[in-house]
Amino acid sequence: MTVKLKTQDARKLIHDALVNSGTSVQNAQYFTEAILDTELSGLEGHGFFWLQYYCDHLLSGKVDGKVVPQVEALSETSFRVNAGHGFAHPAIEAGFKRLIPAARSHGVAAMGVYNSYSAATLGFHTGTLAQAGLLALGATNAMPTVAPIGGHTPIIGTNPISFAVPAPEGKIAFLVDQSATQVAWTAVKRAAENGEEIPLGWALDPEGYPTTDPHAGLDGSMVPAGGVKGFGIGLLVEVLSAALAGGRLGPDQGSFTEQDGKPIDNGQFFIAFDPEKFSGGTFDTTISAMVASITEQEGARLPNARREANKLRLTREGMPIEDDLYARLKGFT
């Protein structure tokens, strides 16, 4: 059975669960909107589902919900943000307050975040930059779930990468948000919890063989999207988020789900460009032509179009949440 929540009720549930579990009101604002946006986008298993773990980690002391992120300016266009073993969202928000004006002034700016936590839906962050009129690229690493090609021991995570393209009047022309794997790790975890099989091609068992058993997949390795190409993208994300930003390598991170008392301490990296400066004022015209070449084709859709359609539908109909999960989240409020 499920409950359907209106937007204002979902926002209050998320905010109250975070604050009553130990997040400061200031740190909860941007975080709440990110979780809400994820649910409205129809990304079940990435919003309400993970909120229970956020609250558990707050209560156990695995994450500090009240820490004030520290932003260090390395130059006029480069920033380093210490999340202080707190949530990624307030650290990213604090960094963006420096990144956005720097990119507008100089044409490009970059920032890394370290001592951080899961950035959750990465496209929310790149989308925020696009709504500020900037072309945005973002990356975040994660706990190891992907073995190298030919190997059996995971060394990198699903390691998503995202880019968002701005449109006039604070809108997003389109947005790409994808993991380096065939599917998100959460899809396999939820299948295991629900006693369901997974399709072949999602995961490998501990011996490296394709499996439909989600438990074997969780004990083994996620399958990289496009094989070696997906693993290469995952390595790039690891370089940006760990080697460059200063986050921990995947095998050194704390668990995203277990109460192991160990901070996750992963990293994020963002680059923002002022499109008008680089294009000489032709960016919007070119993007409009590119978008039209896709949308004019019958049956074709832009990246993120499904999420935007879900936002309209779920705002109208309400967001579904399973009874048991709803009761658990209400328990945190």
Side-chain angles (χ1 to χ4, degrees):
M1 298 291 291
T2 61
V3 177
K4 284 194 173 182
L5 297 180
K6 295 180 179 178
T7 301
Q8 62 268 29
D9 296 327
R11 179 181 283 112
K12 178 173 173 53
L13 173 67
I14 296 165
H15 180 271
D16 289 355
L18 288 172
V19 171
N20 290 334
S21 297
T23 305
S24 68
V25 171
Q26 180 178 349
N27 284 353
Q29 304 304 317
Y30 180 81
F31 200 2
T32 295
E33 294 306 313
I35 298 170
L36 179 63
D37 184 81
T38 295
E39 279 297 326
L40 283 172
S41 297
L43 300 175
E44 294 182 12
H46 293 76
F48 290 144
F49 176 78
W50 279 104
L51 179 56
Q52 60 185 317
Y53 293 106
Y54 304 152
C55 294
D56 282 340
H57 289 173
L58 283 162
L59 294 170
S60 70
K62 184 179 176 73
V63 62
D64 185 348
K66 292 183 168 64
V67 67
V68 178
Q70 301 299 308
V71 182
E72 176 187 3
L74 306 175
S75 71
E76 292 183 345
T77 59
S78 305
F79 306 93
R80 195 164 189 247
V81 186
N82 185 354
H85 311 299
F87 287 121
H89 291 70
I92 292 170
E93 180 186 25
F96 280 2
K97 290 178 180 178
R98 305 288 296 275
L99 183 77
I100 291 171
R104 286 173 175 165
S105 295
H106 300 281
V108 61
M111 78 178 214
V113 183
Y114 66 105
N115 287 338
S116 192
Y117 188 92
S118 169
T121 306
L122 188 61
F124 178 78
H125 307 296
T126 56
T128 296
L129 293 175
Q131 288 171 323
L134 301 173
L135 177 63
L137 176 68
T140 181
N141 68 343
M143 63 180 185
T145 54
V146 183
I149 303 300
H152 305 310
T153 302
I155 62 164
I156 64 172
T158 54
N159 287 15
I161 192 165
S162 175
F163 70 89
V165 180
E169 300 178 357
K171 296 181 180 179
I172 301 172
F174 60 91
L175 182 155
V176 172
D177 183 4
Q178 61 190 46
S179 67
T181 51
Q182 284 291 102
V183 296
W185 179 81
T186 304
V188 179
K189 177 175 173 56
R190 296 204 80 186
E193 293 176 349
N194 295 332
E196 301 168 349
E197 289 191 342
I198 58 174
L200 284 173
W202 281 19
L204 307 175
D205 68 17
E207 284 71 47
Y209 294 105
T211 182
T212 60
D213 180 352
H215 296 283
L218 292 174
D219 291 337
S221 170
M222 299 290 293
V223 174
V228 66
K229 295 179 181 179
F231 188 76
I233 291 172
L235 279 180
L236 170 63
V237 170
E238 197 76 8
V239 170
L240 292 173
S241 303
L244 198 57
R248 292 182 184 270
L249 289 169
D252 299 326
Q253 293 176 21
S255 169
F256 278 13
T257 56
E258 301 300 325
Q259 301 301 327
D260 57 8
K262 183 178 180 181
I264 292 174
D265 284 353
N266 62 0
Q268 290 87 36
F269 198 83
F270 295 92
I271 307 173
F273 304 88
D274 184 323
E276 291 305 301
K277 279 187 169 61
F278 277 97
S279 69
T282 64
F283 183 83
D284 289 337
T285 300
T286 303
I287 292 298
S288 294
M290 181 189 299
V291 167
S293 70
I294 297 171
T295 57
E296 288 174 354
Q297 297 186 41
E298 184 177 355
R301 62 181 174 86
L302 286 166
N304 208 49
R306 184 174 295 167
R307 293 188 190 185
E308 291 302 315
N310 284 335
K311 287 180 186 180
L312 295 175
R313 178 178 59 83
L314 293 174
T315 297
R316 182 179 65 252
E317 298 176 357
M319 287 159 277
I321 178 173
E322 295 121 341
D323 287 341
D324 290 347
L325 180 56
Y326 180 62
R328 177 159 163 68
L329 295 180
K330 285 291 289 183
F332 292 115
T333 66

